[in-house]
Amino acid sequence: MRRALFSSAGVETAGFSAVLMLTLVLAFLLLMAPHAMAETAGNAPAIQVPNPSTDLWREVRQRDGVTSGRSQIAGVESGTLINPYGETWRNFRMKQLIPYSGYLLAGMLLLLILFFLVRGKIRVKAGISNKKLFRYTLYERMIHWFIASVFLFLALTGLILLFGRSLLLPWIGSEVFSLLASASKEGHNLFGPVFAVALLLVFIRFVRRNIYQKGDLTWLLKGGGIIGKGHVPSNFFNMGEKSMFWLLVLVGAVIVGSGLILVFPVFGQARITMELSHVSHALTTLLMILVIMGHIYIGSVGMEGALDGMTTGYCDLNWAREHHAEWATLCEQEGKVITDVEVSRLRGDGDTQQHAATSAQETG
Amino acid sequence: MIGELIDGPFWYFSLVVFCIGVLFRLISILRAGLKPDLAVPRSGGSTGALRNLFSRFIPRRDVATRGRLTFVAGYLFHIGLFALLFFARPHVDFIAERITGFSWPALPYWAFIISAEIAFIGLLLLWLHRLLHPVTRLLSNADDYIGTGLVFLVMLTGCLALAQAFEPLRLLHLFLAELLLIYFPFSSLMHAFTFVFSRSYSGAVMGRKGVNA
Amino acid sequence: MSHDFAKGVEVLSRQIDSRIAAYFSACVHCGLCAEACLFYTETDDPRYTPIYKLEPMRRLWKAQHTFWGKFAIKMGLSKPLTEQDFADWEELVYDSCTMCGRCSMVCPVGNDITYMIRKEREGFSAAGYAPVGMQEATHRALTIGSPMGITLKTLQAALIHVEKNTGLKIPMDQPGADYMTLFSSMEVVNFPEYIESIARIFDAAKVSWTISSEAFEATNSGIQIGSHDAAREIVSRVVNAAESLGVKYVISPECGHAYTAIRWEGPNLIGRPYKFEIIHILELLDQLQKDGRLLLSGHTDIPLTFHDPCQIVRRGGVVEPPRDLLAKVATGFVEMADHGTMNWCCGGGGGVSANERAEELRLKVFDRKRKQIEALGVKTMVTACANCRIVLEEGIEDREMDVQVIGLTELVAEHLSHNVTPG
């Protein structure tokens, strides 16, 4: 774009200045500059002449606001020589976004470690029973782990792109880092739309059970039971889970939207749009990563019995009673309680485990 | 040094292993022998074989509902993989240069990317289905996971090398593809070839019985 | 029961032909066959996945026919097939498979899983790992001549009743007749109406037919338990009798496995084509009706449906004849959602109904048929297999349903046109 503008100025020196005079202030100044310099050098008495290149630069740099020139090149912003907000954005990214988001992520990690040290693993108080409830269907588990794996990949590649230069480059050297950064960028771009698909599937499947209802506020007021000691009844999903769902959906929509704007710069979006998209993409993903860190914490080391429903499809009855009392009561009333033995039959464990082991061994 | 090895001798080595291996597997199937059917057929076996070869692309009603996930994910993966394997510009160029000597029209870049995304969605869902469904969980063995994993890695490194600016990324992709080629004949990935045999054999028998399979 | 593991493995490995090698090579463990199997859909037990029932045979194929399999056995990385595997899989191979062939229709790579089960049973029965009920039935078939212990005397007693009821002479051992008729034990014992019906129909249509006193039993326990030798012996009795009488056709009765045995497996079992043709009773009736030799009049208006016997329709290829016949005699004929070559099995084929151990499971998986009937809302089911009929009736009784099962041949006989002389 820049080159195009200069070449159009060159055309004017040949005598077509009248044609574009009105709009090409920049080009005119550019044309005049060398002459002005020559004249100053030729005349002996030094008079105070303001340096025209300052004015030129001020105009080019657009310190006084955006002015749009005209160019023979048809394209988005081809009339703008330099985008004044670029520097603002760059400074924000380098001086605020990277350090502060880094502190936040590290802080969250530290917080979770501290929390674990203080609170420990939240046990099922009544102990793990020998009865189970069916919690998530195959499809629900599939789309959960689908969005989970895509999210983790995108988070990893995204974080490499954001922090790589300051954290990884000094360690692995520029040659390796350039590979890694290019790979991360391509991978991130390719998997972005896949995340959009996954988000849509998750939204459609889980939205009904995530509508807020009576009792959710009580749950919130009692801190979800994670802080206090008492049992806080809740339905299939509790207030915390519902909030995380809506956060995922709403923030996720912003993430997807801003991401698509960034990955497809072909719809006439200007640089300012890209910069804003980048900033909102960074802030929303940062928020999401923080929330997901908490989610992963509860699902793994934070709480006994929380992961089972999402891996096997069945959760422990006592766990359900303690964390989703309303739902558990409903299931018990409907006679949906299943024994451990039945679950292992349905999952094909039990007496065939030994054969499965030998057949797996045999293929290795 | 390693790059030259991957790009040259190792590529030819894996190609030879692939070709000989596949041929060996197919021959070993034929060598197992098949007795001629002496029962008087209702209609021709070859018509049935040909019919079955194509009719199996369309699922039966209740399997299309009960097994919807497998069916949808399976189609996404296979169509996506087929498109990007044979019609992505870099692949067309590579195959033309190394194997065929001629090239054919490639997909535009955006279609290549979309087919890659479709293939990834399909493969991830199939993999998760394998891990989570009681039936596939029981059936699957190391071979199934190695095959799926290798295909996934090849696709992933391919997508990481999309910029086509870094030779090491291309070589990584190529190296994994070569491992896949070597692994292929010894695994159930062979179904890419053997499905023709299994469908035809069954189709011939069913055709002779007068059953439209 | 005597077990012979070495013989079992030897026989099993002999079964692996190009088809089976191709099938195992093509299987990607997608699990879709489970969705077609009533033993899986009605129990949700993943062990009842059709291809899983073939694990012993797959492992043997792997060890003998593949590079890694041979390598792993040599290096001690994988264990060869053990006798315990036979013991563990016996229930899966026999109790939870009726060889109905539905899985073979849905496999995306086209594997004929039913064929493999048929072959796997060869190895299992050779090793002595087969259900007692089926072993005894096969033993009776070889020694007495019928799996249910029916002798010529029993048949003659039944025929006396038939002659009394119909007033017709039943031709016995008549050389040069066009058709030789076979019966299944169940028809002789439980459904003599079938014999009456064909006597009436053949009389009306002026069909030259006979029964052989040497070979009247159609059922073949050999192909159910998976014993090539027993199956060949049973088939060759029929072949010898038919060829010595010099008949042009042998009629396979309303019995599923009998048809598969005599029509499709028979020539391969005895190693040569027959000197006569095999025709299924439904094919013959349809043909007579189309030729104008079998004149039908009147029809029933009650809503009814047709239960396709797997071995006659899906595995036998007699798909249209029963429908053509029903169209002639029943105006209220409706099809179930899954019908014809995709019909669901009654749950008692492939020797399962002869296997007492499997009874509980068989009644459990009858749920599939119950749901089908209830979805359609009819109270009458027509079928064309004595075994299906018994199993359906037992299931209907067990579930306390109000559904009647009738044989198609009887239904046709009821609508014979008596007043018109066939042209």
Side-chain angles (χ1 to χ4, degrees):
Chain A
M1 268 185 310
R2 213 170 294 174
R3 197 186 303 150
L5 205 64
F6 284 131
S7 75
S8 77
V11 171
E12 272 186 86
T13 40
F16 300 107
S17 49
V19 188
L20 295 173
M21 194 54 117
L22 236 156
T23 47
L24 282 179
V25 182
L26 301 175
F28 183 65
L29 284 167
L30 206 66
L31 185 72
M32 290 307 291
H35 293 278
M37 296 277 263
E39 273 170 34
T40 323
N43 289 353
I47 6 165
Q48 211 50 349
V49 177
N51 187 350
S53 62
T54 320
D55 296 333
L56 168 71
W57 182 242
R58 182 174 291 116
E59 286 298 320
V60 170
R61 183 62 187 78
Q62 310 208 38
R63 290 241 187 249
D64 307 324
V66 180
T67 42
S68 200
R70 185 180 291 175
S71 154
Q72 282 181 329
I73 302 300
V76 182
E77 285 187 302
S78 50
T80 311
L81 208 51
I82 286 182
N83 169 23
Y85 301 111
E87 185 66 7
T88 321
W89 167 77
R90 201 188 70 88
N91 279 330
F92 168 74
R93 182 178 183 275
M94 300 305 289
K95 296 192 178 133
Q96 277 142 334
L97 180 65
I98 291 178
Y100 291 123
S101 61
Y103 299 146
L104 262 174
L105 288 169
M108 184 67 180
L109 196 66
L110 209 66
L111 196 73
L112 289 174
I113 293 170
L114 267 173
F115 187 85
F116 182 71
L117 292 175
V118 174
R119 186 74 165 84
K121 190 171 193 157
I122 299 169
R123 299 274 164 196
V124 176
K125 292 188 192 79
I128 296 287
S129 69
N130 57 0
K131 294 198 176 62
K132 299 236 184 306
L133 290 177
F134 185 61
R135 191 157 167 81
Y136 295 111
T137 65
L138 172 76
Y139 176 68
E140 286 161 1
R141 281 175 282 149
M142 269 171 69
I143 55 175
H144 170 267
W145 292 112
F146 177 44
I147 200 168
S149 51
V150 175
F151 183 90
L152 287 179
F153 178 79
L154 288 171
L156 184 72
T157 48
L159 291 175
I160 289 174
L161 290 174
L162 190 62
F163 297 112
R165 198 170 145 188
S166 34
L167 292 184
L168 294 176
L169 185 69
W171 289 84
I172 58 179
S174 59
E175 210 162 306
V176 181
F177 180 69
S178 64
L179 286 183
L180 189 63
S182 164
S184 297
K185 186 207 152 234
E186 296 299 336
H188 196 86
N189 287 357
L190 191 107
F191 273 90
V194 177
F195 179 76
V197 172
L199 186 64
L200 191 69
L201 295 179
V202 166
F203 174 72
I204 293 169
R205 186 62 177 199
F206 289 105
V207 65
R208 213 167 49 82
R209 274 169 283 178
N210 277 296
I211 294 166
Y212 288 109
Q213 61 195 130
K214 218 174 70 187
D216 283 342
L217 203 63
T218 331
W219 187 92
L220 186 68
L221 292 174
K222 290 195 179 179
I226 212 164
I227 301 159
K229 290 251 177 215
H231 290 199
V232 188
S234 81
N235 207 333
F236 192 91
F237 287 128
N238 63 36
M239 169 81 181
E241 287 164 315
K242 285 177 184 177
S243 304
M244 206 207 87
F245 172 81
W246 288 111
L247 201 69
L248 175 70
V249 168
L250 300 173
V251 172
V254 178
I255 293 174
V256 168
S258 55
L260 289 177
I261 292 172
L262 289 168
V263 83
F264 295 113
V266 290
F267 297 107
Q269 59 265 58
R271 279 168 293 186
I272 182 76
T273 319
M274 301 287 274
E275 286 152 16
L276 287 174
S277 295
H278 173 266
V279 170
S280 53
H281 196 73
L283 294 178
T284 45
T285 45
L286 184 67
L287 176 64
M288 212 58 234
I289 291 173
L290 291 173
V291 171
I292 292 297
M293 281 170 80
H295 178 73
I296 293 173
Y297 169 81
I298 297 182
S300 55
V301 293
M303 183 185 284
E304 186 181 18
L307 190 63
D308 299 354
M310 212 25 107
T311 51
T312 68
Y314 301 89
C315 67
D316 185 70
L317 179 63
N318 284 346
W319 176 85
R321 279 175 179 164
E322 286 170 26
H323 298 283
H324 299 274
E326 287 173 28
W327 174 70
T329 315
L330 193 73
C331 287
E332 286 182 88
Q333 280 165 359
E334 288 172 357
K336 284 181 180 164
V337 180
I338 318 169
T339 61
D340 261 354
V341 181
E342 177 69 359
V343 168
S344 63
R345 184 188 74 85
L346 290 169
R347 286 180 38 76
D349 299 337
D351 53 338
T352 46
Q353 217 157 28
Q354 158 203 350
H355 310 305
T358 52
S359 85
Q361 197 181 41
E362 161 247 337
T363 26
Chain B
M1 222 295 270
I2 296 171
E4 279 164 25
L5 192 69
I6 292 172
D7 218 7
F10 195 61
W11 158 252
Y12 290 106
F13 171 73
S14 59
L15 198 64
V16 166
V17 170
F18 174 79
C19 292
I20 291 178
V22 167
L23 221 63
F24 171 79
R25 280 293 295 272
L26 297 184
I27 288 169
S28 85
I29 286 172
L30 294 174
R31 268 190 52 208
L34 195 62
K35 285 182 186 149
D37 185 7
L38 299 171
V40 185
R42 253 197 204 101
S43 59
S46 37
T47 322
L50 201 65
R51 190 195 143 81
N52 202 36
L53 197 53
F54 294 99
S55 70
R56 292 282 165 142
F57 283 116
I58 304 152
R60 298 274 173 177
R61 192 187 69 91
D62 63 326
V63 163
T65 47
R66 284 189 63 94
R68 201 189 297 126
L69 281 177
T70 315
F71 168 63
V72 172
Y75 256 111
L76 286 178
F77 168 64
H78 282 95
I79 289 175
L81 182 66
F82 185 82
L84 77 89
L85 183 56
F86 294 110
F87 294 99
R89 169 58 63 198
H91 291 165
V92 173
D93 292 345
F94 183 85
I95 298 171
E97 184 199 333
R98 300 289 180 97
I99 303 169
T100 57
F102 59 86
S103 81
W104 53 89
L107 288 171
Y109 187 75
W110 59 267
F112 163 31
I113 294 302
I114 287 176
S115 53
E117 279 163 352
I118 287 175
F120 268 116
I121 293 173
L123 184 60
L124 283 173
L125 290 180
L126 283 178
W127 203 350
L128 287 168
H129 188 275
R130 198 175 272 303
L131 284 161
L132 296 170
H133 194 290
V135 167
T136 42
R137 197 169 150 262
L138 181 65
L139 291 177
S140 302
N141 50 36
D143 170 38
D144 295 313
Y145 291 111
I146 295 171
T148 317
L150 260 179
V151 171
F152 178 79
L153 283 180
V154 172
M155 279 168 58
L156 186 70
T157 51
C159 108
L160 297 183
L162 270 175
Q164 296 186 47
F166 295 92
E167 185 67 1
L169 289 178
R170 187 187 73 86
L171 289 173
L172 181 65
H173 178 55
L174 181 60
F175 176 67
L176 282 162
E178 287 162 355
L179 288 186
L180 184 69
L181 279 179
I182 293 170
Y183 183 69
F184 192 100
F186 303 102
S187 70
S188 57
L189 295 170
M190 271 299 289
H191 76 275
F193 294 98
T194 50
F195 86 97
V196 177
F197 288 67
S198 53
R199 284 187 184 180
S200 307
Y201 279 137
S202 300
V205 171
M206 287 167 184
R208 276 199 290 271
K209 287 181 177 177
V211 175
N212 284 337
Chain C
M1 225 65 51
S2 64
H3 294 314
D4 189 342
F5 174 64
K7 187 174 172 222
V9 172
E10 196 261 317
V11 172
L12 191 58
S13 80
R14 249 193 290 135
Q15 306 303 319
I16 298 170
D17 58 7
S18 290
R19 280 178 76 184
I20 290 174
Y23 294 158
F24 281 131
S25 306
C27 179
V28 289
H29 292 153
C30 73
L32 279 178
C33 48
E35 309 298 345
C37 177
L38 74 170
F39 287 91
Y40 173 72
T41 63
E42 300 315 298
T43 63
D44 282 324
D45 190 333
R47 292 165 69 247
Y48 293 146
T49 303
I51 198 72
Y52 187 66
K53 297 166 191 168
L54 288 153
E55 266 307 282
M57 199 185 205
R58 189 191 68 83
R59 285 172 57 192
L60 196 63
W61 162 78
K62 184 117 188 150
Q64 293 181 344
H65 290 256
T66 68
F67 173 80
W68 283 125
K70 288 177 198 168
F71 180 78
I73 292 274
K74 275 230 174 71
M75 303 300 287
L77 292 170
S78 79
K79 284 184 215 144
L81 212 56
T82 63
E83 185 152 6
Q84 189 57 41
D85 296 319
F86 275 79
D88 289 341
W89 253 267
E90 185 193 315
E91 187 237 337
L92 294 181
V93 173
Y94 285 102
D95 299 23
S96 70
C97 177
T98 60
M99 301 205 285
C100 81
R102 220 166 170 276
C103 50
S104 301
M105 301 298 279
V106 306
C107 175
V109 293
N111 288 352
D112 191 348
I113 299 167
T114 315
Y115 171 78
M116 294 199 271
I117 295 270
R118 163 74 183 83
K119 293 295 180 184
E120 191 179 42
R121 284 187 180 184
E122 289 281 344
F124 272 66
S125 78
Y129 285 96
V132 182
M134 287 171 76
Q135 292 197 4
E136 285 170 350
T138 312
H139 182 69
R140 279 193 298 269
L142 291 175
T143 53
I144 308 172
S146 148
M148 288 172 73
I150 311 262
T151 59
L152 182 59
K153 281 210 179 88
T154 331
L155 176 69
Q156 281 164 339
L159 290 180
I160 288 169
H161 278 283
V162 171
E163 290 186 336
K164 204 184 282 172
N165 289 348
T166 58
L168 297 166
K169 178 89 187 87
I170 305 295
M172 184 66 97
D173 292 327
Q174 288 194 351
D178 286 345
Y179 295 90
M180 181 180 116
T181 308
L182 303 174
F183 301 110
S184 71
S185 301
M186 288 222 193
E187 283 154 357
V188 178
V189 180
N190 296 312
F191 308 113
E193 310 92 281
Y194 170 76
I195 311 179
E196 283 181 35
S197 302
I198 64 161
R200 284 207 178 96
I201 292 169
F202 288 169
D203 178 62
K206 304 267 182 286
V207 170
S208 137
W209 68 294
T210 187
I211 297 173
S212 163
S213 59
E214 297 291 316
F216 53 86
E217 175 61 77
T219 47
N220 192 325
S221 311
I223 71 158
Q224 296 185 329
I225 197 168
S227 165
H228 179 273
D229 294 345
R232 185 186 53 214
E233 166 63 21
I234 296 166
V235 165
S236 56
R237 284 175 191 165
V238 175
V239 174
N240 292 340
E243 288 180 353
S244 72
L245 284 174
V247 296
K248 295 190 192 118
Y249 298 92
V250 167
I251 303 172
S252 184
E254 275 197 353
C255 170
H257 276 89
Y259 185 61
T260 287
I262 196 83
R263 175 70 175 89
W264 301 114
E265 284 210 20
N268 300 310
L269 287 166
I270 64 167
R272 65 171 175 86
Y274 303 144
K275 292 175 184 150
F276 51 89
E277 277 180 45
I278 297 287
I279 188 164
H280 190 264
I281 182 70
L282 294 183
E283 288 181 291
L284 178 60
L285 294 182
D286 191 38
Q287 192 185 309
L288 291 172
Q289 179 260 121
K290 281 185 176 144
D291 294 348
R293 292 174 67 189
L294 177 61
L295 295 175
L296 301 169
S297 69
H299 45 72
T300 173
D301 297 327
I302 46 166
L304 51 79
T305 188
F306 183 65
H307 164 78
D308 296 85
C310 310
Q311 298 298 322
I312 295 172
V313 180
R314 177 164 42 240
R315 305 294 287 176
V318 185
V319 188
E320 291 310 319
R323 289 171 168 79
D324 290 348
L325 291 167
L326 275 169
K328 292 281 169 203
V329 297
T331 50
F333 171 51
V334 279
E335 293 275 25
M336 289 180 270
D338 289 310
H339 63 267
T341 52
M342 284 310 283
N343 187 36
W344 289 93
C345 177
C346 63
V352 171
S353 64
N355 175 3
E356 295 87 355
R357 187 180 64 193
E359 188 176 303
E360 196 190 334
L361 183 61
R362 167 165 64 84
L363 290 171
K364 166 99 182 108
V365 303
F366 181 75
D367 262 347
R368 176 46 64 175
K369 203 82 237 170
R370 179 182 61 77
K371 287 177 208 160
Q372 269 194 297
I373 305 168
E374 285 174 358
L376 204 60
V378 300
K379 300 279 177 215
T380 307
M381 194 161 31
V382 181
T383 190
C385 166
N387 187 57
C388 287
R389 201 166 156 185
I390 288 274
V391 171
L392 292 171
E393 282 174 354
E394 280 182 22
I396 286 165
E397 195 189 322
D398 183 66
R399 294 295 145 109
E400 295 170 346
M401 294 164 68
D402 174 28
V403 175
Q404 187 199 1
V405 186
I406 47 178
L408 181 52
T409 308
E410 290 156 56
L411 188 67
V412 171
E414 278 171 28
H415 294 93
L416 276 176
S417 174
H418 293 289
N419 306 325
V420 193
T421 325

